[in-house]
Amino acid sequence: MQAKNIEVIHMSRQILLKDRIIQAAVAIIEAGGTPMFSTISRRLGSRSQALYPYFANQTELSFAIFDWVARQLNDQIKTELFGLSDREGLIALAVAMRREGLAHVRLTQYLLSIPRDTANADMQQGTDLFRDLLGGMIRPVFQHSRVRLIAARWLRDLIVGDVVNIGAGWFIDQGISADDSFELALTASLDRLTLEDQQDTQDD
């Protein structure tokens, strides 16, 4: 029993330390820095070598950051959108994800720069969370799998495109605000997808 308790305590400390490393890396990214082992260890008051038992290399750390951010965002948005569904919920989800992307532009840019690796558990888990969050809102709105897939891709394009462009200093023309143009593009996309879904129903 005592040995088992020691093992549990050790695991708890390891998880806590991994989270501290990831949080330090995120803070560095948000400040415009690069999350190298050397900069992270300095922020934690440690040495670079102390990070290697938890992350074998920089790539493994980047996947863990991706998963950590995905979990944080998933929990936050699920709480925020609790009770919303159908088209209202889908619009609210797109607006919330865009808002968070813009609030953390540097972090979003970093995450988008990470190559997808389906063989990595952290990367796949984070990807699944994003996919399930979006897919869960899309499914009640559109009946057909083809339209649902198009909807997922269009919405990702709109959200990511807005964050990347605004983050790079574009969309500053005061003729229409970036928020208004996003909502117009979102509404137009959903309207078009609704027609496509109805057409597929007629063709069944």
Side-chain angles (χ1 to χ4, degrees):
M1 178 65 74
Q2 186 177 4
K4 185 175 181 181
N5 287 340
I6 292 172
E7 182 181 355
V8 171
I9 292 170
H10 175 72
M11 288 177 62
S12 298
R13 286 177 178 170
Q14 182 174 1
I15 292 169
L16 176 62
L17 184 53
K18 287 186 75 169
D19 277 352
R20 284 187 62 211
I21 294 169
I22 293 168
Q23 289 165 14
V26 168
I28 290 168
I29 295 166
E30 297 266 36
T34 302
M36 305 297 291
F37 279 20
S38 56
T39 56
I40 295 169
S41 60
R42 279 198 299 270
R43 188 179 184 91
L44 293 173
S46 182
R47 297 178 301 170
S48 299
Q49 293 85 345
L51 276 60
Y52 284 99
Y54 306 101
F55 303 104
N57 51 51
Q58 204 72 42
T59 300
E60 190 174 301
L61 172 61
S62 70
F63 291 150
I65 292 170
F66 187 95
D67 176 56
W68 185 86
V69 173
R71 287 186 284 112
Q72 299 298 312
L73 183 61
N74 181 69
D75 291 346
Q76 177 183 331
I77 290 184
K78 276 188 172 180
T79 300
E80 181 179 334
L81 303 186
F82 181 77
L84 295 179
S85 61
D86 300 323
R87 181 170 169 136
E88 178 190 13
L90 188 53
I91 291 173
L93 172 62
V95 169
M97 292 187 75
R98 174 182 177 270
R99 181 198 68 222
E100 291 305 309
L102 290 173
H104 306 278
V105 170
R106 288 169 174 162
L107 180 58
T108 302
Q109 291 168 338
Y110 174 84
L111 297 176
L112 291 172
S113 74
I114 302 172
R116 184 176 178 186
D117 183 352
T118 56
N120 181 272
D122 282 335
M123 169 61 81
Q124 192 56 47
Q125 180 172 290
T127 302
D128 288 345
L129 283 173
F130 281 132
R131 184 193 61 209
D132 293 345
L133 182 62
L134 186 57
M137 281 294 190
I138 288 174
R139 277 190 294 274
V141 180
F142 304 111
Q143 298 180 28
H144 295 87
S145 58
R146 184 182 71 89
V147 178
R148 288 172 177 169
L149 179 57
I150 296 170
R153 290 177 178 176
W154 280 13
L155 289 171
R156 284 198 297 267
D157 284 347
L158 283 173
I159 296 165
V160 172
D162 244 43
V163 172
V164 169
N165 278 288
I166 295 172
W170 296 96
F171 296 178
I172 58 174
D173 191 318
Q174 296 304 307
I176 181 171
S177 72
D179 290 348
D180 288 344
S181 64
F182 176 79
E183 292 188 17
L184 284 169
L186 178 59
T187 299
S189 297
L190 294 178
D191 288 345
R192 180 66 184 85
L193 288 165
T194 298
L195 291 175
E196 193 76 16
D197 203 41
Q198 291 170 348
Q199 183 62 51
D200 280 5
T201 299
Q202 292 173 7
D203 293 341
D204 285 347

